[in-house]
Amino acid sequence: MSSLLPGPNSLVPFVSVDDMMRLLIDIGTERMLCELADAIEEDFRRWELFDKTPRVAAHSEKGVIELMPTSDGEAYGFKYVNGHPQNTRSGRQTVTAFGVLADVETGYPLLLSEMTLLTALRTAATSAMVAKHLMPKNAHTMAMIGNGAQAEFQTLAFKAVCGIQRVQLFDIDRHATAKVARNLEGYGLEVISCQTAEEAVQGAEIITTCTADKQYATILSDNMVGAGVHINAIGGDCPGKTELHRDILTRSDIFVEYPEQTRIEGEIQQLDADHPVTEVWQVILGRAAGRTSDSQITLFDSVGFATEDFSALRYVRKQLKTRPFFTNIDLLADPDDPRDLFGMVARKEQKLVQGLV
Amino acid sequence: MSSLLPGPNSLVPFVSVDDMMRLLIDIGTERMLCELADAIEEDFRRWELFDKTPRVAAHSEKGVIELMPTSDGEAYGFKYVNGHPQNTRSGRQTVTAFGVLADVETGYPLLLSEMTLLTALRTAATSAMVAKHLMPKNAHTMAMIGNGAQAEFQTLAFKAVCGIQRVQLFDIDRHATAKVARNLEGYGLEVISCQTAEEAVQGAEIITTCTADKQYATILSDNMVGAGVHINAIGGDCPGKTELHRDILTRSDIFVEYPEQTRIEGEIQQLDADHPVTEVWQVILGRAAGRTSDSQITLFDSVGFATEDFSALRYVRKQLKTRPFFTNIDLLADPDDPRDLFGMVARKEQKLVQGLV
């Protein structure tokens, strides 16, 4: 009967939402954000190794479903992610995701993981890692505009990775702001809830925008952005959805993950297709200038890229060796004789008939 | 504590390999092949509705990993599939696969399923469904060249859907042929094991080629193919991998799933990019001619297309209502307040600290 149990090649470790929460709690949120930022930066340093392609998107009236594959030649990863702004009306998440890491040598999956939580973590870690390279020296205050599901993760990543000590919150929904302020209690941050976006950006060296409306919006207008700030623009991330007034873009030096994708999805969809942008990996490797003056406005036009998910999945897989928050699932067929898939079923049927399984 | 159990929106039905075997056994192989053929044909009839794109392939020296997405506007499906011919050396499958069906309205996955077995079934069902429209009348003998994992499924699909009564097997590996002959015992077919490919095609009205070498090969040479046969060419399915001599192609009327993909991956990669081919869906809808004479050679240059996987996933999901061979897995985050992903983790941590979970 043992031959009817799933063989070793059939099992794939699966990290459920519950497992991911336990992993995050076990490691600690700020530590995990720091380690994710390091893992993501490490892969940005290997940028040229990766197979890169804009994500494969299926758009509908209600939202988008995307597949984001990449590979470094040894491992292959992809993420399934949706974006449906109206989902909150039915008690669902705007963004949910899961992902897979696989072995390029055999094509066999090595890990299946929830990525709703992991995407929130990697997005925040990426933002903070990039800001570390671009923000003004000794920045200590961040404006956090948009107090949805990303806001706490963004704030804690900027605390842990960039050393910010104060966050100024604003959302058109006061309940959202209250939720973030409550959740951030006890983390040693000064948390200020603001009545207007103008108030939130006062004195902030870093401005993070992360709202969810699927439309062209002006969350930040030009007069709100003073010299020298770093803007971390998260919410402009699909065609037809932007957050910044165009005039801010033309005043800023713009940094992007992967121009081919950002020009379709990011804030820069408002600009000409040849508007100059700098790739983040080039700044990290010292091949392109980052911040060059105190008065310069730096803008990270973040849309999220497949390598960030790949880095996050690799990080999680590594953690599972010492923190076994996963279950094995029987995802792959593993017949005794690999050419005998049919026989595997036939033998199963015999055993079922004999009442042995 | 009930709020810490995964909520209803977090659970996705998962069909493991074991579940798929039980489902197949419960329905019966020939019945399931017939019903899959019907489901696939039904979606070919709705061809114009589908979002179609060539699969997204990541090639390496050892093989390929592909994502195959599609959508009919209501449901979205994708399959992950690898092709690694050398995998059998390490006791692994050449092809493994899994797939997901999702709701376009919310972007939430509705089903995660193993697809190694399901791909074998849908490939065979597609071949037989297409042959039903193209084969010579009253065909009763099929040559089955290549006796690997697909061979039994192909043979039973042609028996169940097209009514063939006799199969003539050939493989360069006699053990493979012996395996297929053994597995097909008791299905009411006349099974002939042949010493050569020439012997296998003698008197066959249908020739199926399905070998696994990743190279240009000549499984069928021109003089082996007589007038009037239908060729079901399965194994030529990625760049650099073909099975038929070019001269056969120029003598045949060629039918394909999705020309944009087949010209890259199919037998017709040997021909000019403008060589005329007919799309299968047009034949099924009566918009293009299929077989028009007894002497014509019809060739289905099959590479597998995303809609076939979509049809198979939809079929499986429907079956689960009355045949509950699945388990629910906690794949999606489902916080009480959808904007409060962070709070979901914080509440989990409190409970863990209190020893309540």
Side-chain angles (χ1 to χ4, degrees):
Chain A
M1 275 186 64
S2 65
S3 71
L4 290 171
L5 291 172
N9 288 332
S10 71
L11 297 176
V12 176
F14 165 57
V15 177
S16 68
V17 176
D18 191 70
D19 288 324
M20 188 62 78
M21 288 197 286
R22 287 171 187 266
L23 184 66
L24 175 60
I25 290 163
D26 197 49
I27 296 172
T29 303
E30 289 182 65
R31 178 174 165 191
M32 185 157 165
L33 285 164
C34 281
E35 291 178 351
L36 278 170
D38 289 344
I40 292 164
E41 180 165 349
E42 191 182 298
D43 283 339
F44 267 95
R45 289 182 184 279
R46 306 191 300 140
W47 186 257
E48 287 160 299
L49 265 177
F50 281 88
D51 247 1
K52 291 172 290 287
T53 173
R55 55 186 132 205
V56 184
H59 293 278
S60 68
E61 265 177 50
K62 294 291 176 60
V64 63
I65 297 175
E66 300 173 329
L67 297 174
M68 301 169 69
T70 192
S71 168
D72 68 356
E74 286 186 15
Y76 168 96
F78 82 88
K79 180 168 83 171
Y80 169 106
V81 59
N82 76 298
H84 287 71
Q86 295 169 21
N87 268 3
T88 49
R89 295 183 198 164
S90 59
R92 291 182 171 83
Q93 290 284 297
T94 302
V95 174
T96 63
F98 65 90
V100 168
L101 200 67
D103 181 10
V104 167
E105 177 100 4
T106 63
Y108 271 47
L110 300 168
L111 174 68
L112 169 69
S113 177
E114 87 80 35
M115 290 190 78
T116 308
L117 257 176
L118 193 58
T119 295
L121 292 161
R122 77 83 162 131
T123 301
T126 302
S127 285
M129 183 276 288
V130 172
K132 193 182 68 182
H133 291 276
L134 294 175
M135 68 185 190
K137 259 176 250 163
N138 306 319
H140 77 287
T141 298
M142 178 166 89
M144 182 71 234
I145 300 180
N147 299 156
Q150 256 291 298
E152 298 93 339
F153 298 104
Q154 285 283 336
T155 304
L156 289 180
F158 277 83
K159 171 176 182 277
V161 175
C162 303
I164 68 142
Q165 294 148 35
R166 178 182 162 110
V167 62
Q168 300 178 166
L169 305 172
F170 175 71
D171 196 290
I172 49 170
D173 175 0
R174 289 184 189 187
H175 299 292
T177 303
K179 172 214 65 160
V180 175
R182 196 169 56 240
N183 281 335
L184 289 176
E185 275 171 25
Y187 282 93
L189 275 165
E190 194 179 349
V191 179
I192 313 293
S193 299
C194 302
Q195 305 299 314
T196 63
E198 285 76 4
E199 192 186 333
V201 300
Q202 280 292 335
E205 298 96 350
I206 298 168
I207 301 173
T208 293
T209 56
C210 189
T211 62
D213 274 330
K214 189 177 179 178
Q215 58 188 38
Y216 293 108
T218 303
I219 307 302
L220 275 189
S221 57
D222 191 32
N223 63 341
M224 290 164 65
V225 178
V229 303
H230 175 68
I231 304 173
N232 174 44
I234 303 299
D237 61 358
C238 70
K241 179 164 180 287
T242 60
E243 293 182 323
L244 306 187
H245 192 279
R246 192 178 178 282
D247 290 349
I248 300 174
L249 307 185
T250 56
R251 279 169 68 205
S252 304
D253 288 306
I254 302 173
F255 299 84
V256 303
E257 291 141 320
Y258 183 58
E260 289 83 340
Q261 182 176 300
T262 312
R263 291 199 192 275
I264 298 169
E265 301 174 356
E267 296 295 335
I268 58 171
Q269 62 186 283
Q270 301 182 66
L271 301 180
D272 292 339
D274 60 351
H275 189 93
V277 298
T278 304
E279 295 184 50
V280 162
W281 71 275
Q282 302 247 19
V283 176
I284 293 172
L285 282 178
R287 295 197 194 166
R291 174 169 293 275
T292 51
S293 88
D294 291 345
S295 63
Q296 181 188 15
I297 300 170
T298 53
L299 165 62
F300 177 38
D301 185 3
S302 172
V303 297
F305 190 61
T307 61
E308 296 153 20
D309 301 308
F310 178 92
S311 309
L313 287 170
R314 280 212 311 152
Y315 171 80
V316 166
R317 181 160 185 257
K318 211 167 153 189
Q319 296 306 311
L320 297 185
K321 287 175 192 162
T322 53
R323 305 176 199 263
F325 298 109
F326 67 95
T327 51
N328 285 313
I329 64 168
D330 166 27
L331 185 62
L332 306 174
D334 183 29
D336 304 346
D337 172 355
R339 296 178 81 169
D340 197 9
L341 196 58
F342 188 88
M344 179 181 77
V345 183
R347 286 187 288 279
K348 176 85 183 179
E349 183 164 14
Q350 280 168 10
K351 295 288 179 181
L352 282 171
V353 168
Q354 293 165 22
L356 294 177
V357 285
Chain B
M1 274 184 66
S2 65
S3 70
L4 290 170
L5 292 173
N9 288 333
S10 71
L11 297 176
V12 176
F14 165 56
V15 176
S16 69
V17 176
D18 193 68
D19 288 324
M20 189 62 78
M21 288 197 287
R22 288 172 186 266
L23 184 66
L24 175 59
I25 291 164
D26 197 49
I27 296 173
T29 304
E30 290 182 64
R31 177 172 165 191
M32 185 159 164
L33 285 164
C34 281
E35 290 178 352
L36 278 170
D38 288 343
I40 292 164
E41 180 165 348
E42 189 183 302
D43 283 339
F44 267 94
R45 288 181 185 279
R46 304 190 302 140
W47 186 257
E48 288 161 297
L49 264 177
F50 281 88
D51 246 2
K52 290 170 292 285
T53 173
R55 53 186 135 205
V56 184
H59 293 278
S60 68
E61 268 176 47
K62 295 290 175 61
V64 63
I65 297 176
E66 300 173 328
L67 298 174
M68 301 166 69
T70 193
S71 169
D72 67 358
E74 285 186 16
Y76 168 96
F78 83 87
K79 179 168 81 170
Y80 170 106
V81 59
N82 76 299
H84 286 70
Q86 294 169 24
N87 268 5
T88 49
R89 295 183 197 165
S90 60
R92 291 183 172 84
Q93 290 283 298
T94 301
V95 174
T96 63
F98 64 91
V100 167
L101 200 69
D103 180 10
V104 167
E105 176 100 3
T106 63
Y108 270 47
L110 300 168
L111 173 69
L112 168 70
S113 178
E114 88 80 33
M115 290 190 79
T116 308
L117 257 175
L118 193 58
T119 295
L121 291 162
R122 76 83 162 131
T123 301
T126 301
S127 286
M129 182 277 287
V130 172
K132 192 182 67 181
H133 290 277
L134 294 175
M135 68 184 191
K137 258 176 251 164
N138 305 320
H140 76 288
T141 299
M142 178 166 88
M144 182 71 234
I145 300 180
N147 298 156
Q150 256 291 300
E152 297 92 339
F153 298 104
Q154 285 283 336
T155 304
L156 290 180
F158 277 84
K159 172 176 182 277
V161 176
C162 302
I164 67 142
Q165 294 149 34
R166 178 181 163 112
V167 62
Q168 299 178 167
L169 305 172
F170 174 71
D171 196 291
I172 49 170
D173 176 359
R174 289 186 191 188
H175 299 293
T177 303
K179 172 215 66 163
V180 175
R182 198 170 52 242
N183 281 335
L184 289 176
E185 275 171 23
Y187 281 94
L189 275 165
E190 192 180 353
V191 180
I192 314 292
S193 300
C194 302
Q195 304 299 314
T196 63
E198 285 76 3
E199 193 187 332
V201 301
Q202 280 293 335
E205 297 97 351
I206 298 169
I207 302 174
T208 292
T209 58
C210 189
T211 63
D213 274 329
K214 190 177 177 175
Q215 60 188 30
Y216 292 108
T218 303
I219 307 301
L220 275 191
S221 57
D222 191 30
N223 62 341
M224 290 164 65
V225 178
V229 303
H230 174 67
I231 304 174
N232 173 44
I234 304 299
D237 61 358
C238 69
K241 181 165 180 287
T242 59
E243 294 182 323
L244 305 189
H245 192 282
R246 191 179 178 285
D247 290 348
I248 300 174
L249 307 184
T250 54
R251 279 170 67 204
S252 304
D253 287 306
I254 302 174
F255 299 84
V256 304
E257 289 140 319
Y258 184 58
E260 290 83 340
Q261 182 175 299
T262 312
R263 292 200 190 274
I264 298 169
E265 301 175 355
E267 296 295 333
I268 58 171
Q269 63 187 282
Q270 302 180 67
L271 301 179
D272 293 339
D274 61 351
H275 190 94
V277 298
T278 303
E279 295 185 50
V280 161
W281 71 275
Q282 302 244 21
V283 176
I284 292 172
L285 282 179
R287 296 198 196 166
R291 173 170 293 274
T292 51
S293 87
D294 291 344
S295 62
Q296 181 187 17
I297 300 171
T298 52
L299 166 62
F300 177 38
D301 185 2
S302 172
V303 297
F305 189 60
T307 59
E308 296 153 21
D309 301 308
F310 178 92
S311 309
L313 286 169
R314 278 213 312 153
Y315 171 79
V316 166
R317 181 159 185 259
K318 210 166 153 189
Q319 296 307 310
L320 297 184
K321 286 175 193 164
T322 51
R323 306 176 198 262
F325 298 109
F326 67 95
T327 51
N328 285 313
I329 65 169
D330 166 29
L331 185 63
L332 307 174
D334 183 31
D336 303 344
D337 173 355
R339 298 179 82 168
D340 196 8
L341 197 57
F342 188 89
M344 178 182 75
V345 183
R347 286 187 288 278
K348 175 86 182 179
E349 183 164 15
Q350 281 169 10
K351 296 288 179 181
L352 282 171
V353 167
Q354 294 165 20
L356 294 179
V357 284

